[in-house]
Amino acid sequence: MIAVTGIDVTGSSILYVIDTQNRQLAVYQANSGSASTMGLKFVAGRNIDLDLKVWGYNDKSEHSYRDMVDQFERKNR
């Protein structure tokens, strides 16, 4: 398991939990304040198995993964 915290655009605390064995992601939002507004909310979850197999999606890098592979293959010939 990996757990990472952060702050979202509303200023609420966010907890990302990643199960590295089952390749699952869960996202929670924690709110503080009065008894009526504080709490923990499950925001999203998904199986990320296929996400981790994608070579590039919305990648703004100067060189794509495929370009880098081609360059290394040409260099090692």
Side-chain angles (χ1 to χ4, degrees):
M1 293 282 195
I2 298 172
V4 178
T5 61
I7 305 291
D8 71 8
V9 295
T10 69
S12 297
S13 296
I14 295 290
L15 171 64
Y16 301 92
V17 179
I18 304 164
D19 179 340
T20 57
Q21 288 185 342
N22 295 311
R23 296 177 178 231
Q24 295 284 124
L25 168 69
V27 182
Y28 300 89
Q29 181 184 51
N31 296 311
S32 59
S34 67
S36 64
T37 61
M38 64 185 227
L40 184 65
K41 177 181 172 188
F42 176 64
V43 177
R46 71 180 285 152
N47 181 307
I48 60 172
D49 186 54
L50 294 176
D51 299 24
L52 298 174
K53 294 180 181 186
V54 174
W55 285 3
Y57 175 76
N58 203 21
D59 183 356
K60 308 290 192 234
S61 300
E62 183 178 349
H63 303 285
S64 71
Y65 175 81
R66 187 74 247 164
D67 291 342
M68 297 289 286
V69 168
D70 292 343
Q71 287 180 20
F72 280 102
E73 286 176 351
R74 279 194 300 264
K75 185 177 179 180
N76 292 326
R77 285 185 203 163

